[in-house]
Amino acid sequence: MTTEVKKANGAYTIKISGGIDTLTAPELEQTFKEIEPQADKVIFDMKEVDYISSAGIRVLVYVHRAMSSKDGLVLRGLNKNVSTIISLTGFDKVLTIE
Amino acid sequence: MRKSIFFKLALILIPVVLVCELVQLYISYRTIYDSNLKTVSKLTESTSLTVSEMFRYFDEDSENDQYEYGLELSRMCETWGVTYIYALDVDIDKRSEKYLAIGFGEDAAEIVKKSRYAGVVVQGTVSDAQIQAYRNKENSFIVHEKTELDDTITCYSISKDKYDYTNYKIVKRDKPILIGAEVSFSAVMKESRQRFFSTATYDLIFTFMLTLAIFIVFYLRVNGPVRRISSRMKNFVSDRDKGVEKLKVRGNDELAEMSRSFNLMTEEINSYITSIDSLNKEKHTQEAELDIARNIQTGLLKPGSYENGSVSINACMHAAKNVGGDLYDYQVFDDGRVFICVADVSGKGISAALFMSRAITLLHQYALHDYSPSRMLREYNNTLAEQNPNGMFITTFAAVYDPKTHQLTYSNAGHNHPYVIADKLIELDGALGVAAGIFEGMEYEQETITLHPGDVVFLYTDGVNEAENSNGEMYGTEALENELRKYIGAAKGNISDEVLSTVREFSGHADQSDDITILTLKLEQASLHDEITVKNRAENLKIVIEKINALDINEETKAQLLLIAEELFVNICSYAYKGKDGDITFVLDIGNDQASMIFTDEGEPFDPTADLIDIEEYDHENSIGGLGRFLAFELADEYSYAYENGKNTLKIIKKI
């Protein structure tokens, strides 16, 4: 999995490529923690994400809750598989998905 | 005989004739009677008058006169046929009469002869008629008396005059003489009667004979023709083959008319039957032809199912009535390559069936010679178009699958787009060319698609999507696509049969309007059994992932298997050995359309299938735990846990 961070004013877009699983989720979390203080809003561009497991969902939820006091977390570009998994967990109703 | 109409007629006619006869005879009799009455009356009158004239010269005192006149009266009786002539001297007060003279005729009664003679005085026989006649004095008076003794007609007249011999002149008598001329009418009638009855008898006999004769003639005249017509009618059907002669028609009356009508009717019936016969023959010929066509058609087709290790084929062709012309074909070569095709001929009947047989033969040849689908259709089209006098055409889809490369190469001559059921429904809409058989020199494009084990290629003809129900609605490609999508990621049994029964269910009672043909090519999973034991470290997940990634299955299922494996493996790693090292065994089995994964560890007994979260009740705002196991078992089709022989054994089954 790779991440690419772009900044536009207070909004940080993290483009993620690959799968967010138990082995790569910590890396994503770490990337977020690095920009967390400066970020008003976080956008995950997940067009290139082909896989997500519960570990990945946990990171998404963590970031979502962390940003809830600010402008929040937005998920973009979810493909069919990833959407399905997130829907199964019911977190599609909690997370902001565009 | 009793049933005969003639008998019935006789029963009516004979009494009628009899009654008529009797009436006639009665009238005759009365006429005779009246005539006799008249004659006799006239007779008595003229007699009486003549006699009263005669008695002018009668001298009542002369005994000689009494005698002579008596004789004369008898002579007159006999001559004129009168029964009595008498001259009376009537005493009205005493009501007695004296016979002055009396004459007797033939029929005079003996008793009267004896008791009445000149000079006798009879008391109390003066009748009212006599009195009246006497008083009348003028003319004669005729009376018809019927007594116990006799039936008589008497004419009374008065002889008032007398000849005075002394003075040679006629003077009035002091007392008129009553003259009676009496005829015994019964005697007259008796004679008439005798004559009458003998005549009547002859008359009756004659009438009877005549009636009988007429009857017989009529019977013969009518019965014969009627019987003939009746028997002709009865035997009409059975005699038909021998040829029915016409009835002889004699004359112009109603019977002749009936015979003529009968002849006409039999002619018409015969021609009607002949035309029905020929129509039937035509129909049977047509049906026979269609039967032959259908037999040719089904005879050319390969068996409905085929299996080797790497592919399984299921095919069916259900012909509609009166239509011929769908076909499917497949061919598996030694090197494992598979040729499949479906086609639909435009025509009907034997010619379509023969065209179809040419088509199949050509396709076989070309496939055997290793032609690519594109070349196959080109050569095939040219050959068919070369010799196609009926202008038939055939839409064809032909494809070759190579299991070594997993590639399906195909070409399409005007046929409906087949589908591939993979992890999504794919429509093979490329390489569409013109239907074959019409134009020589057509080129056909070719396309290739890569398939994976578990995929199903679905070929069909328009009898499927154009199947009609009784409302005239068509099943439609959309419904077909929806039906096929159901098999994505699900067990794929005999999809051909199942789609066919769905289409049949849709059609209901409506007649099948077109041939329905389906062919499915299913890529079988290679079976696999793989086992590995690793240490309980999260990074060893990579090994498990590698094994799963290596599977030749569709991407969606693979992703789910990966997820399940990850969640469960991580779970075991984290908890089974309580931080200590331990082994985890992973067994992966592929076969029978399913993948099974078994995780075994020797750690703490722990049932991961227990206490799964309820996603409805889950506190999404605040909680985060339990998602892993939840997802694993949610995505699995089946799962089971057991603790046996000191091992936790967790089995997951996923259909592929």
Side-chain angles (χ1 to χ4, degrees):
Chain A
M1 186 201 75
T2 59
T3 55
E4 201 184 299
V5 181
K6 283 206 180 94
K7 179 181 152 187
N9 303 325
Y12 280 79
T13 305
I14 304 180
K15 182 165 171 170
I16 312 166
S17 308
I20 314 172
D21 58 24
T22 193
L23 298 171
T24 61
E27 195 187 314
L28 179 59
E29 195 177 319
Q30 187 54 37
T31 310
F32 167 71
K33 281 186 173 146
E34 280 164 20
I35 54 118
E36 187 181 359
Q38 301 98 297
D40 299 317
K41 181 174 176 179
V42 175
I43 299 158
F44 282 172
D45 178 355
M46 294 172 63
K47 276 200 294 289
E48 308 284 316
V49 174
D50 57 3
Y51 177 90
I52 193 164
S53 68
S54 66
I57 294 178
R58 277 197 288 276
V59 175
L60 297 181
V61 172
Y62 173 79
V63 174
H64 170 85
R65 288 175 185 164
M67 296 301 293
S68 60
S69 56
K70 300 188 213 175
D71 287 335
L73 167 69
V74 173
L75 305 177
R76 287 197 186 138
L78 300 184
N79 77 4
K80 190 174 152 238
N81 281 347
V82 172
S83 289
T84 308
I85 300 298
I86 295 177
S87 302
L88 274 178
T89 63
F91 273 101
D92 53 329
K93 299 185 180 67
V94 171
L95 300 167
T96 313
I97 300 170
E98 281 173 19
Chain B
M1 186 58 206
R2 215 151 281 174
K3 288 185 269 175
S4 166
I5 194 175
F6 293 104
F7 184 73
K8 292 191 185 117
L9 265 176
L11 279 180
I12 299 168
L13 211 61
I14 287 172
V16 167
V17 167
L18 210 64
V19 166
C20 283
E21 267 302 300
L22 288 173
V23 165
Q24 201 187 321
L25 288 172
Y26 175 73
I27 293 171
S28 292
Y29 183 78
R30 281 227 62 98
T31 311
I32 292 171
Y33 184 87
D34 290 340
S35 164
N36 280 350
L37 203 66
K38 219 173 170 183
T39 315
V40 166
S41 301
K42 275 225 149 55
L43 176 64
T44 54
E45 193 181 25
S46 60
T47 307
S48 190
L49 286 170
T50 310
V51 167
S52 55
E53 278 219 15
M54 200 174 97
F55 265 72
R56 275 191 202 146
Y57 305 102
F58 181 70
D59 181 1
E60 58 263 37
D61 298 319
S62 163
E63 269 187 34
N64 189 47
D65 269 2
Q66 287 174 359
Y67 177 69
E68 289 289 339
Y69 272 74
L71 281 179
E72 187 57 33
L73 287 179
S74 289
R75 226 178 290 131
M76 285 169 85
C77 279
E78 271 168 47
T79 314
W80 294 345
V82 179
T83 314
Y84 308 106
I85 308 174
Y86 42 83
L88 295 171
D89 175 11
V90 179
D91 188 339
I92 294 181
D93 304 320
K94 288 189 187 154
R95 279 193 110 88
S96 67
E97 54 196 14
K98 177 176 166 189
Y99 276 80
L100 299 171
I102 182 165
F104 302 102
E106 238 177 24
D107 304 314
E110 285 303 317
I111 192 171
V112 176
K113 276 187 187 166
K114 286 199 182 114
S115 62
R116 304 279 189 271
Y117 45 83
V120 75
V121 177
V122 182
Q123 293 279 7
T125 57
V126 178
S127 65
D128 293 325
Q130 286 173 335
I131 293 172
Q132 207 176 336
Y134 196 75
R135 286 219 175 103
N136 205 350
K137 283 183 182 167
E138 300 290 339
N139 304 327
S140 57
F141 184 65
I142 301 173
V143 72
H144 186 178
E145 284 179 311
K146 286 193 194 134
T147 64
E148 293 160 357
L149 298 169
D150 207 351
D151 176 8
T152 57
I153 296 173
T154 314
C155 181
Y156 294 111
S157 59
I158 304 290
S159 182
K160 314 177 272 214
D161 304 323
K162 157 167 135 169
Y163 189 71
D164 185 0
Y165 285 99
T166 314
N167 297 324
Y168 305 104
K169 61 174 181 192
I170 295 185
V171 297
K172 261 213 149 82
R173 284 189 186 268
D174 305 326
K175 200 161 183 220
I177 297 175
L178 182 70
I179 306 293
E182 190 175 309
V183 173
S184 167
F185 195 60
S186 57
V188 170
M189 280 315 296
K190 188 170 165 196
E191 202 192 318
S192 284
R193 253 201 300 273
Q194 273 168 350
R195 250 183 292 138
F196 173 77
F197 278 133
S198 72
T199 315
T201 310
Y202 287 126
D203 195 0
L204 278 170
I205 290 172
F206 175 75
T207 308
F208 181 74
M209 292 268 129
L210 187 66
T211 310
L212 199 66
I214 292 174
F215 216 70
I216 289 170
V217 166
F218 192 68
Y219 174 83
L220 292 173
R221 179 78 182 84
V222 173
N223 187 58
V226 169
R227 278 258 154 81
R228 267 200 294 283
I229 290 176
S230 171
S231 97
R232 274 294 167 83
M233 285 186 179
K234 213 186 287 185
N235 296 326
F236 178 67
V237 175
S238 51
D239 285 348
R240 251 200 90 232
D241 299 328
K242 301 173 205 149
V244 185
E245 302 160 27
K246 298 210 175 159
L247 282 172
K248 293 201 190 84
V249 180
R250 271 188 235 114
N252 265 317
D253 60 11
E254 289 86 341
L255 289 176
E257 191 54 38
M258 195 155 113
S259 297
R260 222 171 273 128
S261 299
F262 176 74
N263 287 336
L264 202 67
M265 184 188 76
T266 56
E267 239 177 74
E268 285 185 19
I269 290 181
N270 275 334
S271 71
Y272 185 61
I273 290 178
T274 311
S275 70
I276 289 182
D277 269 349
S278 67
L279 270 173
N280 266 342
K281 280 200 193 92
E282 229 179 83
K283 189 172 165 221
H284 282 138
T285 316
Q286 276 176 6
E287 282 181 4
E289 204 192 80
L290 288 173
D291 272 344
I292 294 175
R294 208 168 297 123
N295 286 335
I296 294 177
Q297 208 184 351
T298 40
L300 290 166
L301 299 179
K302 286 260 168 47
S305 61
Y306 169 87
E307 234 181 275
N308 64 20
S310 81
V311 297
S312 63
I313 296 173
N314 279 301
C316 61
M317 193 287 291
H318 293 278
K321 200 180 175 198
N322 298 335
V323 179
D326 267 12
L327 71 88
Y328 67 79
D329 195 36
Y330 59 84
Q331 191 89 300
V332 180
F333 303 107
D334 292 335
D335 60 359
R337 282 180 313 129
V338 181
F339 160 73
I340 52 172
C341 80
V342 282
D344 186 349
V345 177
S346 59
K348 295 181 186 187
I350 291 191
S351 44
L354 291 173
F355 192 76
M356 204 186 95
S357 83
R358 282 177 67 205
I360 289 196
T361 316
L362 289 170
L363 289 169
H364 278 336
Q365 290 300 313
Y366 299 144
L368 270 171
H369 286 116
D370 223 355
Y371 286 10
S372 64
S374 163
R375 186 169 172 201
M376 232 188 263
L377 288 185
R378 180 176 13 114
E379 304 278 336
Y380 160 88
N381 171 59
N382 287 337
T383 311
L384 288 174
E386 225 173 69
Q387 203 187 351
N388 184 7
N390 297 329
M392 290 188 277
F393 61 87
I394 179 167
T395 66
T396 311
F397 175 87
V400 176
Y401 170 70
D402 187 348
K404 291 196 201 70
T405 62
H406 289 325
Q407 304 242 310
L408 184 78
T409 310
Y410 62 91
S411 258
N412 193 337
H415 196 79
N416 4 11
H417 305 153
Y419 294 97
V420 173
I421 308 173
D423 51 357
K424 55 181 193 264
L425 190 69
I426 304 168
E427 188 181 339
L428 299 180
D429 56 2
L432 196 64
V434 171
I438 321 177
F439 304 115
E440 289 183 52
M442 298 302 303
E443 288 291 331
Y444 292 91
E445 283 173 19
Q446 186 171 284
E447 294 248 341
T448 308
I449 181 176
T450 307
L451 300 178
H452 302 98
D455 289 352
V456 174
V457 183
F458 183 87
L459 270 50
Y460 66 101
T461 61
D462 58 13
V464 172
N465 53 313
E466 287 178 12
E468 282 180 14
N469 65 6
S470 28
N471 294 333
E473 297 161 342
M474 288 207 233
Y475 184 64
T477 39
E478 223 181 277
L480 177 62
E481 284 174 9
N482 289 334
E483 180 62 27
L484 294 177
R485 283 200 191 92
K486 290 182 191 160
Y487 296 100
I488 297 173
K492 299 166 180 74
N494 189 333
I495 295 183
S496 292
D497 282 352
E498 291 183 28
V499 170
L500 178 68
S501 68
T502 311
V503 170
R504 289 248 191 268
E505 222 180 278
F506 170 83
S507 311
H509 293 297
D511 283 339
Q512 187 180 328
S513 52
D514 197 357
D515 294 352
I516 295 177
T517 304
I518 298 175
L519 183 144
T520 54
L521 170 72
K522 180 160 162 222
L523 274 47
E524 295 294 351
Q525 301 292 345
S527 32
L528 175 93
H529 176 86
D530 208 350
E531 201 178 307
I532 189 153
T533 305
V534 296
K535 291 286 174 211
N536 60 335
R537 278 198 272 280
E539 62 235 28
N540 285 330
L541 176 60
K542 287 200 190 87
I543 302 171
V544 172
I545 287 174
E546 211 179 272
K547 289 227 178 288
I548 295 172
N549 264 327
L551 291 178
D552 201 358
I553 57 176
N554 70 55
E555 293 308 314
E556 193 181 305
T557 313
K558 194 186 282 186
Q560 291 178 356
L561 280 173
L562 288 169
L563 182 49
I564 295 168
E566 177 186 322
E567 303 296 349
L568 296 177
F569 186 82
V570 164
N571 193 271
I572 297 170
C573 277
S574 306
Y575 303 112
Y577 291 107
K578 286 193 185 158
K580 297 207 186 96
D581 276 354
D583 286 333
I584 305 177
T585 306
F586 172 69
V587 176
L588 179 62
D589 266 299
I590 305 290
N592 296 333
D593 292 334
Q594 66 185 33
S596 85
M597 299 188 292
I598 304 176
F599 295 90
T600 322
D601 69 79
E602 286 164 3
E604 286 290 310
F606 176 70
D607 182 357
T609 67
D611 300 323
L612 294 174
I613 62 171
D614 180 345
I615 212 64
E616 305 287 319
E617 308 286 317
Y618 195 75
D619 182 5
H620 288 90
E621 290 298 320
N622 300 306
S623 302
I624 196 61
L627 289 174
R629 281 190 297 137
F630 169 77
L631 280 172
F633 295 120
E634 192 66 21
L635 290 170
D637 289 316
E638 281 172 47
Y639 54 86
S640 64
Y641 166 81
Y643 186 79
E644 30 186 41
N645 305 325
K647 293 186 186 165
N648 290 300
T649 309
L650 179 63
K651 183 171 178 181
I652 310 288
I653 292 176
K654 182 108 187 98
K655 301 227 191 293
I656 53 175

